[in-house]
Each structure stands twice: as structure tokens, then as C-alpha cells.
Amino acid sequence: MVSIPVEHGLLLAGILFGVGLIGLLVRRNIIFILMSIEIMLNAAGLAFVVAGARWGQADGQVMFIFILTMAAAEVSVGLALVLQMYSRLKTLDVDAASGMRG
């Protein structure tokens, strides 16, 4: 069985995290912001799995399951907020949400 070097896995995780971070900082649409957060969470999960495989421990897989659970909860709450925001403001721009203050 051919194994992937740890450096390659961590490099891919870093690139995915960077793409997610750039999407989070650049995009104004809340759906794209949620997708960017998902990419960042998956990058962190990949790093945990790679590190766990490197040391031969199952801790990385356990942390990845925890991250998947947290991502599912984040998506459910986030999409509920998106639906509420769209029904009130008729837009998904996060700048429009700043007008919801008092």
C-alpha cells in the first residue's frame, strides 16, 4: 500500500484552510461565507487525520468525527439564520445585516 507523505497532506490542509480564509474575508454573501467556514473546518479535520495517521493514533479520526458533528450543527444554525435574514431583508449580503442593530 502506497502511503501519502505527511508533508503533502499537511500542505493540502494548509492550502484548503487558506482558500477558506480568503473566501471568508472576501465574500459578502452569507452562503459563501458558510461554505468558506466549511472548507476551513474540513482542512482542520484533514490535518488531524494526517497527524493521527503519522503517529498511528486514532485520535485524529476521533477529532475529525467531532469536527464533522460541529460542522453539521454550524450549517443547521447558519442556514436557519440565513432563511430568517432573507425573509426579513430580502438579501443575503452581510452588510445589510448590520442594519438589524437596535
Side-chain angles (χ1 to χ4, degrees):
M1 183 173 154
V2 178
S3 64
I4 299 172
V6 175
E7 296 85 13
H8 293 173
L10 291 178
L11 180 66
L12 178 62
I15 290 171
L16 283 175
F17 193 86
V19 167
L21 184 63
I22 289 171
L24 181 68
L25 295 175
V26 171
R27 294 293 187 157
R28 306 302 330 154
N29 188 324
I30 197 161
I31 296 292
F32 285 106
I33 290 173
L34 285 174
M35 288 171 38
S36 298
I37 291 172
E38 289 294 320
I39 291 171
M40 291 170 63
L41 286 172
N42 284 325
L46 178 63
F48 275 116
V49 168
V50 168
R54 166 70 173 88
W55 289 308
Q57 300 288 324
D59 297 342
Q61 286 83 8
V62 171
M63 285 302 297
F64 186 68
I65 291 171
F66 175 72
I67 288 172
L68 284 179
T69 306
M70 188 174 62
E74 176 254 337
V75 165
S76 63
V77 171
L79 288 179
L81 289 173
V82 166
L83 287 175
Q84 191 65 260
M85 180 180 154
Y86 186 75
S87 68
R88 287 185 184 217
L89 303 174
K90 303 296 182 206
T91 182
L92 295 178
D93 189 17
V94 292
D95 292 332
S98 65
M100 293 177 71
R101 274 186 266 152

